[in-house]
Amino acid sequence: MDPVQERMRQLQARIEDANYRYYVLDDPSITDAEWDRLLRELQQLEAAHPELADTASPTRRVGGRPASGFAQVAHTVPMLSLGNAFSDDEVAEFVVRIGKETGDGEPVFSVEPKLDGLAISLRYEHGVFVRGATRGDGSTGEDVTGNLRTVKSIPLRLRGDAPAVLEVRGEVFMPKTGFAEYNAWALAHGEKTLANPRNGAAGSLRQLDPAVTAKRPLAFYAYALGEVSALPAGIDTHSQALAWLRSLGLPVCPEVRTARGVAGVLAFYRELGARRDGLPYDIDGSVYKLDRYDQQRAMGFVSRAPRWAIAHKYPAQEESTVVEDIEVQIGRTGAVTPVARLVPVQVAGVVVTNATLHNADQVARLDVRVGDTVIVRRAGDVIPEVVRVADGGRPDGSRPWTMPTECPICGSAIEREDGEVVARCTGGLFCPAQRKQALLHFASRRAMDIEGLGERFVDALVEFGYVRTVADLYLLTLADFLEMKRRADERDGSTPETVKAGKVASKWAENLIAAIDASRETALERMLFALGIRDVGESTAKTLARHFGALDPLMAAGEDELRQVPDIGPVVAARIAHFFAQPHNREVIDALRANGVRWPEGPPQRASEGPLAGVTVVLTGGLAAMSRDEAGAKLEALGAKVSGSVSKKTGIVVAGEAAGSKLAKAQELGLEIWDEARLLAFLAEHAGADGG
C-alpha cells in the first residue's frame, strides 16, 4: 500500500478507536488535544491526496454542502411508536396480559430510560454508514444523512464482522451539559438560544446546512434493530442484540438492563425516577420491551404499536409561579385562547413564561386571576398549562377575568356560538393573527410542506404587507425576502444579516424560494388540508379527495351531497359548504392555480365501487413489500373499508409477519385469511381498478 494511504488508514483507525472508547466504553484512551492533532493530520493528508480519501473518514463529520430540502425515505421495517402507561395498575395489566398470552408467568423485559430526543434510523452496508432518516410518520421519514454524519457518537464504520445490511434504531438527544454550554455560547455571540434539549436535538437534525448541525452538542444511543440481513447465531433476545450492537461500536444507554415480572419493572421505574434529575440527559419515562424475540413475535402488533412493549411515563412535573397577566391568542380559525403570562419558572428542565388556560370556561372553573400564585405543569411533558390556584396565593382586591368583547389584533367582535366552548374572532382573513396562523398551517409539513417558513418569517411577511393570502407566497422573490429581512433587522435594532459578505447572506432566502417553488406540485388531499377548512383534518381531506377526485366538483357540492361522503356529518358538511361558498376563499383558490400550484386529479373513488366494495379488511402483522398504511390505501382505492379490529363483520384478514391475536381471532371465527403474497397478487391483478 502507498505510504501516504497507509498513514491515512492508521490515523483513521486510531481516531475511530478513540471514539469507540470515549462514546461506547466511557473509557477515554487519549486526550482531546491528541485527538485534535490526529484529526488535523488526517485532514491535511486528505486535502493533499483527495483521491485517497475514504467516504467513512472521521473528517466527514464537519458537515457538507447545505441541502435544498430533505428527500423522503421509506422504512423497510416500519418505525412504530409505543403505547403509554401512566399508572402502576396499567403496567401490571400489561405484564399480566403478556404472561397469560405467552404462558410465561413472570416474563423478562429489557428495561431502559425513555430518552427525550428524536427517533432516527441508521443504515449500515458492509459496516459503513450509508443513510440516516427520521421516523416521520413511521412508514416514511426524512433523509438526514449529512446531519447525522456530524454526530460524533454515531460510528461511520462499524467494528468487527458486521452483516451486509444492518439498520439500527435509536435516539439522537442533547445532553444537559451540552445544552447549557451551547446556550451560554449563543448568548455570548448574539445567537438564538435553544428552548430545551429535546427541541434543540430535533431542530438541529432538521437544519438544511450540516455545518450548523455540526456545531450542536448532539449524542446518540441505539435501542433497537430494524432491517438486518443476517442476525448472528445465539442472539435470541433484545438485550443480547443491544450487547451485539455495542460490540460493533454503537453506543447503548448504560442504564439498560433486564427485569422480571411486575415487581421487577416497577422497581426499575422507581429507582430510575429517583435519579431522574441527576441523569446527564432528559427522560420522560421508562420503556419495557419483552426480551425474548420468539415471545415478541407471538404477541405481534396492534394498530401502529407493538403489543410487547410499553412506555411508562413519569408524572408531569409541577412548579408554582405568579400570573402577571391574562391575554388572549387568536388561532387560524379565529379561536380565542386565554393565555397566562407568568413570572418565569423552570418546569421539567424548561423555563416557562406562558401557560394555556384553554378557554373561558376553564378560566372560570379554576378561577384564575391576575396576581394569583398558580401551579403550572407541562402537559404530557410538552405543553405548559395552569393546573390550579395555590391555596393562600391570591392578593386582596383581585377581580375575576372576563373574555374581551373585541379582538386585540383587529378589533373585530369576539363571539361564542351556542353550544360551543370556544369563542372566536369574527375578523376572518381580515385579522392579521388569523392570517399568520393560516400561513403557518398552510406551510406546515402535513400540508404544503414549505421547509423553513416558520413563525419568524411569517410574522414579518404579514407585518410588512408582503403576503395577504396564502396565494401571495408564490409571488415572492429573492429581493422580497432580503428586503423583508433588512426591515425586520432595522425594527429589532439588530445588525442586518444581508450586510455579510458573499452569497451566504442570501442562502436562507434562496432555500425558502426553492421550498416554496417545490410545494407547487402537491396532492389534492394536502391542498384541502392546507386550506384550513374548519374541522377538515388530514383524514377528512383524504376522504374528500377520494370521494370527489377533483376540486371543482367538491367546491360545487351542497350540504346534502357532502353528507353522503363517508364519515362526514351535518356540522362538518355545513362548514365545508360554507367555506367554498365564500367569494374570498374561491378567489384564493383561483390565485393559487394561477400562481402554478397544481395537483393530480382523477375520477372519484367511491366506497360503493371496486372489486372490494362493501368488504371490511383488517391488516395485522408486518408487511415486507409496503407499509400497512400503503396497503390500506390501495385496498380502500379498490372499495374496501379498512378496520383496526376483527369481528364477525370482517370479510378478509391480511396476516403479515408476526401477526398475533387478530390472526388467532380470525381463525377462531373462520374468516378468510390472506398472506402477503396473496395480497400482492390481488393488488397486481386489480392495479387499474382504482383509476390510477
Side-chain angles (χ1 to χ4, degrees):
M1 181 182 292
D2 178 272
V4 174
Q5 188 173 16
E6 175 63 23
R7 178 57 180 165
M8 291 168 69
R9 296 295 174 264
Q10 289 174 355
L11 290 167
Q12 185 169 326
R14 289 191 63 187
I15 293 170
E16 289 172 348
D17 184 69
N19 286 343
Y20 171 67
R21 293 180 179 278
Y22 184 91
Y23 293 109
V24 180
L25 301 183
D26 195 21
D27 182 23
S29 58
I30 62 176
T31 65
D32 289 347
E34 174 67 7
W35 190 92
D36 289 338
R37 187 191 66 76
L38 295 172
L39 185 66
R40 281 197 302 272
E41 184 181 349
L42 181 57
Q43 287 172 328
Q44 290 167 356
L45 288 174
E46 289 182 349
H49 305 276
E51 74 282 359
L52 299 179
D54 186 346
T55 56
S57 170
T59 61
R60 300 300 176 96
R61 294 190 186 279
V62 297
R65 296 176 59 187
S68 59
F70 296 115
Q72 298 294 297
V73 174
H75 298 302
T76 307
V77 178
M79 292 186 71
L80 304 176
S81 55
L82 296 179
N84 291 323
F86 295 92
S87 68
D88 291 359
D89 289 343
E90 289 178 280
V91 171
E93 182 182 337
F94 164 77
V95 175
V96 169
R97 173 171 56 81
I98 286 180
K100 288 180 179 178
E101 294 194 27
T102 61
D104 186 346
E106 283 201 312
V108 174
F109 294 87
S110 177
V111 295
E112 64 195 57
K114 187 176 183 300
L115 297 167
D116 204 7
L118 187 72
I120 55 121
S121 164
L122 307 175
R123 183 180 179 88
Y124 290 86
E125 294 181 359
H126 302 288
V128 176
F129 176 53
V130 296
R131 190 178 70 203
T134 62
R135 176 164 60 188
D137 62 5
S139 300
T140 305
E142 292 179 318
D143 188 332
V144 289
T145 307
N147 290 342
L148 289 171
R149 285 184 183 277
T150 71
V151 181
K152 293 179 180 178
S153 53
I154 294 177
L156 302 181
R157 186 192 306 276
L158 298 178
R159 302 169 64 88
D161 188 16
V165 175
L166 172 62
E167 185 192 353
V168 181
R169 269 70 189 277
E171 197 89 357
V172 166
F173 61 96
M174 189 172 287
K176 294 176 181 176
T177 301
F179 171 75
E181 290 175 349
Y182 179 85
N183 273 353
W185 173 88
L187 283 172
H189 290 80
E191 300 284 344
K192 184 178 179 181
T193 57
L194 303 174
N196 56 64
R198 186 190 186 284
N199 288 350
S204 297
L205 276 192
R206 301 199 78 248
Q207 293 289 327
L208 292 175
D209 187 351
V212 176
T213 309
K215 297 177 182 177
R216 305 288 174 85
L218 301 178
F220 168 78
Y221 280 146
Y223 59 57
L225 298 175
E227 179 187 6
V228 183
S229 58
L231 199 62
I235 295 183
D236 302 313
T237 67
H238 181 73
S239 55
Q240 290 171 343
L242 292 182
W244 174 56
L245 291 179
R246 196 166 186 263
S247 73
L248 293 175
L250 287 149
V252 174
C253 181
E255 301 293 340
V256 172
R257 64 195 73 167
T258 58
R260 183 179 292 277
V262 176
V265 298
L266 290 181
F268 173 79
Y269 174 82
R270 294 190 178 96
E271 186 266 336
L272 186 68
R275 296 189 292 114
R276 180 182 182 185
D277 290 341
L279 292 173
Y281 39 75
D282 282 343
I283 65 172
D284 58 2
S286 298
V287 174
Y288 315 136
K289 301 173 183 174
L290 192 56
D291 199 34
R292 284 171 46 182
Y293 280 150
D294 62 333
Q295 291 181 339
Q296 288 185 12
R297 288 190 289 269
M299 292 298 299
F301 303 84
V302 57
S303 183
R304 299 190 58 77
R307 298 181 66 244
W308 42 264
I310 200 167
H312 189 182
K313 303 297 284 291
Y314 288 112
Q317 292 177 276
E318 299 181 346
E319 299 291 345
S320 65
T321 186
V322 175
V323 178
E324 294 185 317
D325 199 1
I326 299 177
E327 301 174 356
V328 294
Q329 289 182 343
I330 313 299
R332 67 177 177 85
T333 62
V336 181
T337 302
V339 175
R341 305 300 183 194
L342 308 170
V343 173
V345 62
Q346 190 167 79
V347 185
V350 176
V351 176
V352 173
T353 56
N354 307 314
T356 181
L357 290 164
H358 299 291
N359 53 61
D361 288 351
Q362 178 75 347
V363 179
R365 188 160 43 247
L366 297 175
D367 191 20
V368 179
R369 307 182 187 185
V370 174
D372 282 355
T373 297
V374 294
I375 306 302
V376 179
R377 72 178 174 206
R378 290 175 66 202
D381 266 6
V382 179
I383 304 171
E385 66 177 358
V386 174
V387 180
R388 64 185 180 277
V389 176
D391 293 337
R394 171 167 293 163
D396 294 335
S398 66
R399 295 182 179 181
W401 181 83
T402 57
M403 177 70 73
T405 58
E406 293 183 352
C407 173
I409 307 299
C410 70
S412 299
I414 290 177
E415 298 178 354
R416 180 171 166 179
E417 295 180 17
D418 291 340
E420 285 217 348
V421 174
V422 177
R424 297 181 188 277
C425 165
T426 58
L429 289 179
F430 168 75
C431 178
Q434 293 183 58
R435 195 180 309 151
K436 291 177 183 178
Q437 293 301 317
L439 285 164
L440 286 168
H441 173 75
F442 185 84
S444 64
R445 185 179 169 198
R446 299 293 190 187
M448 300 300 284
D449 193 20
I450 302 177
E451 176 70 33
L453 190 62
E455 188 170 352
R456 182 165 58 99
F457 287 135
V458 166
D459 283 348
L461 287 171
V462 173
E463 181 180 344
F464 297 130
Y466 289 95
V467 171
R468 295 189 62 82
T469 76
V470 295
D472 293 340
L473 290 172
Y474 296 95
L475 300 176
L476 293 171
T477 65
L478 181 64
D480 289 333
F481 275 118
L482 295 177
E483 175 66 11
M484 175 203 75
K485 182 67 167 62
R486 184 191 64 76
R487 294 173 66 181
D489 286 335
E490 288 180 351
R491 177 200 60 194
D492 299 337
S494 57
T495 302
E497 184 176 352
T498 49
V499 303
K500 295 180 182 177
K503 198 174 180 180
V504 176
S506 63
K507 188 62 182 176
W508 61 270
E510 293 173 4
N511 289 339
L512 269 175
I513 291 293
I516 292 170
D517 189 56
S519 73
R520 282 186 167 91
E521 298 287 345
T522 188
L524 178 56
E525 57 263 31
R526 277 182 173 269
M527 171 55 63
L528 292 174
F529 178 56
L531 289 174
I533 306 169
R534 192 173 165 197
D535 289 338
V536 175
E538 289 181 76
S539 178
T540 301
K542 192 174 183 180
T543 299
L544 291 167
R546 284 181 177 162
H547 186 87
F548 289 96
L551 183 57
D552 287 340
L554 169 58
M555 293 173 63
E559 288 186 41
D560 290 343
E561 185 177 354
L562 287 165
R563 290 178 65 176
Q564 304 307 309
V565 180
D567 302 322
I568 301 292
V571 174
V572 177
R575 285 174 178 160
I576 295 170
H578 176 76
F579 179 90
F580 287 119
Q582 301 303 306
H584 65 270
N585 289 333
R586 288 178 171 267
E587 288 170 6
V588 169
I589 292 169
D590 289 342
L592 284 168
R593 282 171 159 162
N595 294 343
V597 179
R598 49 195 172 271
W599 50 87
E601 295 188 337
Q605 299 172 11
R606 304 295 168 86
S608 59
E609 301 171 0
L612 291 177
V615 178
T616 298
V617 179
V618 173
L619 294 154
T620 182
L623 301 176
M626 65 187 76
S627 69
R628 290 219 302 251
D629 282 350
E630 290 174 309
K634 290 178 180 292
L635 291 167
E636 287 175 345
L638 297 175
K641 177 183 178 182
V642 176
S643 174
S645 59
V646 175
S647 69
K648 292 180 180 179
K649 296 181 180 180
T650 303
I652 300 168
V653 173
V654 178
E657 180 71 21
S661 59
K662 291 180 184 178
L663 174 59
K665 186 171 182 179
Q667 292 169 332
E668 181 184 330
L669 294 173
L671 303 177
E672 185 175 351
I673 299 171
W674 292 3
D675 59 13
E676 184 172 0
R678 185 169 178 186
L679 170 67
L680 294 175
F682 182 86
L683 294 177
E685 180 184 352
H686 299 281
D690 61 354

